[in-house]
Amino acid sequence: MKKILNKPESYTDDMLKGIYAAHSEVKYAADDLRCYCTAKKVPGKVAIITGGGTGHLPLFLGYVGEGLLDGCGVGSVFQSPSAEQIYEISKEVEAGAGILYLYGNYTGDIMNFDMAAEMCDMDDIQTMSLVGADDVNSGAPEVRRGVAGIFYMYKAAGAKAAMMGSLEEVYNAAKKAGDNARTVGFALTPCIIPEIGKPNFTLEENEMAMGMGIHGEPGIWNGPIKTAAEIAEESLNTLLGDMPVAEGEEVSVLINGLGATSVEEQYILCGNVLDILHSKGIKTSHVYVGEYATSMEMAGASITICKLDDELKSYLDYPVKTPFIRMN
Amino acid sequence: MKKILNKPESYTDDMLKGIYAAHSEVKYAADDLRCYCTAKKVPGKVAIITGGGTGHLPLFLGYVGEGLLDGCGVGSVFQSPSAEQIYEISKEVEAGAGILYLYGNYTGDIMNFDMAAEMCDMDDIQTMSLVGADDVNSGAPEVRRGVAGIFYMYKAAGAKAAMMGSLEEVYNAAKKAGDNARTVGFALTPCIIPEIGKPNFTLEENEMAMGMGIHGEPGIWNGPIKTAAEIAEESLNTLLGDMPVAEGEEVSVLINGLGATSVEEQYILCGNVLDILHSKGIKTSHVYVGEYATSMEMAGASITICKLDDELKSYLDYPVKTPFIRMN
């Protein structure tokens, strides 16, 4: 296992110590490193809390900051944060306007966020919950996993909250972004969970896995690596088959590197994706390329499209400032 | 070779097509994709041009934009851009106040930038040249390679130019940043040049290479992977041995991922680096963690420190907006 670390069992906490040491804009609540919060509370603003396992930076905690989220429950590598952590973060970041829980559609996360919501309810803290479920190849819409497309939900909710929208308005902004976002991902190599020390799956030399999840969940086919243009074409067929986009409509495109894939390759893929969209008469704006939801040192990428209107564009244009992500 | 691409020989140009398609803030001059320029020319501002081989994103072209650089000559993977390209970019971005050529200390680059300077001289375009040479383990000061520490030179020069400093002032700002910056890097795995198709060196399972360059230039030792804390300690001994920093003085820290190394690991290393600096009574601010100078899918990282004073801090605080890097 070729990783820069001290002890596998301290991977998550050592990472957190580094983040807190580097960035004074964030802090932790309840004397627990894993209760990650913004240091800047805005009275009267809807708070937004996310959470999930370690190993996906900047997902999840990297989205905590101005114009985005207020707190993040940090689990161990690929593990859910606990209900108690979410509850402690809730008490810390709640600012009088309620809390939106916004996270990926995974069973453990749902269970713990729901339990935290019940604990908040007993304290008269109002919560609403919404999950990201954008990974088209992971199943029927109601069971889909949340992957990089949650970026659009964070961005919409964060902007609406910063504009001092109500809890329901923030929820609706995130839901609208989620309803319009679809993702397809694929892996070229596995990654290694530090405490396990060996890859969670294997791929042959020259083999890729289409549709693989960010924890190594099996995809829809394994086979020889396709060219960037072929991957772009198959992925867009899947995306547009699931969510039709008419000629003349506009989409945002997010090309997300899973970890080991170079930014150079991400842009090669981006060029092919944009070419195909333009050839169909679909307009593009707000093109994002880089690491938004990773799987440590997995090689591969995902392609997300989000259908835009003026409302969603205004959310994307809203400034953002976190230790990991700046947009202005 | 597990890469997302079309043909190895079109890797650089396909990447560039993707970048231009995604980002309208940049364009190319002389009908040559590899003559990369900002689309926004500021009359009377000193222009800054860099250049180098493909495979190091965001180095080099990612630093072209507001508050940073004006143009970048793009070479093939790990190859220098041509003198003609630098000259064409010079004619495009020159805005009446002269041009600073600011790039890494590599023989091919020096030859071609010098030739471009002569061509500019015949056109009465004034140029000055400065190279980054921050890689302590690559040799004596006068022969050192430029690696991630050039970030500080770009940042200082870019800020001074945006403040409408003269060519000499911009040169001096970059020189001061370079004089105060030192880098140590190490690799855990090699990368593959697309047109070659196999790794440029090999490392055993569990072996690392201390001091390796970003093109796979040999380092000072190969041996078993050390812990993050051990790597931080050895690296800081090297850095502070070369450039003493007294108790009470302040440094900026840049932890740079070489490509495949996860951001989680970069923060683990960051935590150890900051701990050691603080234990020596050295203050830290302006901590940067992420990919600033990569080697495609190489695993590994580099550690740069830059000794700060109020002048250098004002350059670091100056806002930056490029398609790859935003700071505000």
Side-chain angles (χ1 to χ4, degrees):
Chain A
M1 174 175 61
K2 293 208 150 181
K3 290 187 194 272
I4 304 165
L5 47 70
N6 292 305
K7 290 178 294 188
E9 58 273 26
S10 68
Y11 184 87
T12 298
D13 290 334
D14 284 355
M15 170 199 80
L16 286 167
K17 284 176 193 165
I19 293 171
Y20 293 121
H23 306 297
S24 59
E25 311 95 294
V26 289
K27 62 172 189 176
Y28 52 95
D31 213 26
D32 180 348
L33 289 172
R34 299 182 179 207
C35 295
Y36 186 97
C37 304
T38 175
K40 196 174 180 178
K41 190 163 169 172
V42 180
K45 188 182 88 67
V46 170
I48 307 168
I49 298 176
T50 192
T54 291
H56 306 297
L57 283 178
L59 206 63
F60 297 86
L61 61 81
Y63 292 92
V64 172
E66 291 175 45
L68 280 170
L69 316 179
D70 299 277
C72 176
V74 181
S76 295
V77 175
F78 295 179
Q79 301 293 317
S80 299
S82 72
E84 287 69 25
Q85 283 163 352
I86 308 297
Y87 172 61
E88 291 294 346
I89 297 165
S90 300
K91 286 193 293 184
E92 180 68 32
V93 302
E94 202 274 335
I99 305 176
L100 177 64
Y101 289 161
L102 180 56
Y103 56 97
N105 190 23
Y106 296 94
T107 312
D109 293 318
I110 293 172
M111 194 177 71
N112 291 338
F113 272 97
D114 282 354
M115 214 179 301
E118 286 176 32
M119 294 159 84
C120 284
D121 192 44
M122 289 188 280
D123 285 354
D124 287 327
I125 298 173
Q126 191 190 1
T127 64
M128 291 181 79
S129 291
L130 186 63
V131 294
D134 52 307
D135 188 354
V136 178
N137 280 326
S138 64
E142 59 280 7
V143 301
R144 283 180 187 165
R145 299 183 296 257
V147 287
I150 201 168
F151 163 78
Y152 291 100
M153 302 177 77
Y154 288 159
K155 196 76 190 66
K160 194 68 175 182
M163 295 169 188
M164 303 308 276
S166 69
L167 179 54
E168 197 178 349
E169 288 171 334
V170 172
Y171 175 95
N172 287 339
K175 182 158 191 326
K176 179 171 177 173
D179 287 346
N180 283 286
R182 297 288 188 284
T183 300
V184 161
F186 56 92
L188 305 189
T189 69
C191 63
I192 296 178
I193 296 176
E195 291 201 61
I196 294 177
K198 54 181 205 284
N200 45 355
F201 60 90
T202 54
L203 285 170
E204 299 299 316
E205 186 57 42
N206 204 37
E207 191 184 28
M208 66 179 281
M210 173 57 74
M212 174 159 285
I214 58 173
H215 309 97
E217 298 94 336
I220 54 166
W221 60 257
N222 288 12
I225 298 180
K226 295 188 170 193
T227 66
E230 289 165 347
I231 293 170
E233 189 178 4
E234 174 173 342
S235 300
L236 285 171
N237 285 343
T238 302
L239 293 167
L240 298 173
D242 195 72
M243 178 182 71
V245 179
E247 197 176 327
E249 288 191 301
E250 189 170 10
V251 298
S252 168
V253 174
L254 169 63
I255 306 294
N256 168 56
L258 289 183
T261 286
S262 71
V263 184
E264 287 81 0
E265 292 166 69
Q266 295 167 34
Y267 272 103
I268 291 173
L269 182 62
C270 178
N272 289 119
V273 167
L274 294 177
D275 275 354
I276 295 170
L277 289 169
H278 297 160
S279 75
K280 293 178 188 294
I282 296 170
K283 292 188 286 188
T284 58
S285 73
H286 300 79
V287 179
Y288 304 95
V289 182
E291 293 183 354
Y292 290 81
T294 62
S295 189
M296 295 187 290
E297 76 283 9
M298 191 185 281
S302 64
I303 302 167
T304 305
I305 59 170
C306 181
K307 210 174 349 178
L308 296 177
D309 63 9
D310 288 345
E311 182 190 352
L312 288 175
K313 280 196 213 180
S314 75
Y315 299 145
L316 294 181
D317 288 335
Y318 200 88
V320 159
K321 188 172 180 179
T322 92
F324 292 77
I325 298 167
R326 296 200 182 193
M327 298 179 174
N328 57 324
Chain B
M1 176 176 59
K2 293 207 149 181
K3 289 186 193 275
I4 304 166
L5 47 70
N6 292 304
K7 289 179 294 187
E9 58 273 27
S10 68
Y11 184 87
T12 298
D13 291 335
D14 284 354
M15 170 200 78
L16 286 167
K17 285 177 192 164
I19 293 171
Y20 294 121
H23 306 297
S24 59
E25 311 95 295
V26 289
K27 62 172 189 176
Y28 51 95
D31 212 26
D32 180 349
L33 288 172
R34 299 181 180 208
C35 295
Y36 186 97
C37 303
T38 175
K40 196 172 181 180
K41 191 163 169 173
V42 181
K45 188 184 87 66
V46 170
I48 307 168
I49 298 176
T50 191
T54 291
H56 306 296
L57 283 178
L59 205 64
F60 297 88
L61 61 81
Y63 293 91
V64 171
E66 291 176 45
L68 281 169
L69 316 178
D70 299 277
C72 176
V74 181
S76 295
V77 175
F78 296 179
Q79 302 293 316
S80 298
S82 73
E84 288 69 25
Q85 283 163 351
I86 308 297
Y87 172 60
E88 291 294 346
I89 296 165
S90 300
K91 288 193 292 184
E92 179 68 34
V93 302
E94 202 275 335
I99 305 176
L100 177 64
Y101 290 161
L102 180 56
Y103 55 96
N105 190 22
Y106 296 94
T107 312
D109 293 319
I110 293 171
M111 194 178 72
N112 291 337
F113 272 97
D114 282 353
M115 212 180 300
E118 285 176 31
M119 295 158 84
C120 284
D121 192 45
M122 288 188 281
D123 285 355
D124 287 327
I125 298 174
Q126 191 189 0
T127 64
M128 291 181 80
S129 291
L130 186 62
V131 295
D134 53 307
D135 189 355
V136 178
N137 280 325
S138 64
E142 58 280 7
V143 301
R144 284 182 186 165
R145 300 184 294 259
V147 287
I150 200 169
F151 163 78
Y152 292 100
M153 302 176 78
Y154 288 161
K155 195 76 191 63
K160 194 67 176 182
M163 295 169 187
M164 303 308 276
S166 69
L167 179 54
E168 198 178 347
E169 288 171 334
V170 172
Y171 174 96
N172 287 339
K175 182 158 191 326
K176 179 170 177 174
D179 287 346
N180 283 287
R182 298 289 188 283
T183 300
V184 161
F186 56 92
L188 305 190
T189 69
C191 62
I192 297 177
I193 296 176
E195 292 200 62
I196 294 177
K198 54 180 203 286
N200 44 356
F201 61 90
T202 54
L203 285 171
E204 299 300 315
E205 185 58 41
N206 203 37
E207 191 184 28
M208 67 179 281
M210 174 56 74
M212 173 159 285
I214 58 173
H215 310 96
E217 297 94 338
I220 54 166
W221 60 256
N222 289 11
I225 298 180
K226 295 189 170 193
T227 65
E230 290 165 346
I231 294 170
E233 189 178 4
E234 174 173 342
S235 300
L236 284 171
N237 284 343
T238 303
L239 293 168
L240 298 173
D242 195 72
M243 178 183 71
V245 179
E247 197 177 327
E249 287 191 302
E250 189 171 10
V251 298
S252 167
V253 174
L254 169 63
I255 306 293
N256 169 56
L258 289 182
T261 287
S262 70
V263 184
E264 287 82 0
E265 291 166 71
Q266 295 167 34
Y267 271 103
I268 291 173
L269 182 63
C270 178
N272 289 120
V273 167
L274 294 178
D275 275 352
I276 295 170
L277 289 169
H278 297 159
S279 75
K280 293 178 188 293
I282 297 170
K283 292 187 286 187
T284 58
S285 72
H286 300 80
V287 178
Y288 305 94
V289 182
E291 293 183 354
Y292 290 81
T294 63
S295 189
M296 295 187 291
E297 76 284 9
M298 191 185 282
S302 65
I303 302 167
T304 304
I305 59 171
C306 180
K307 209 175 347 180
L308 297 177
D309 64 7
D310 288 345
E311 182 190 352
L312 287 175
K313 281 197 214 179
S314 75
Y315 300 145
L316 294 182
D317 289 333
Y318 200 87
V320 159
K321 189 173 178 177
T322 92
F324 292 77
I325 298 167
R326 295 200 182 193
M327 297 178 175
N328 58 322

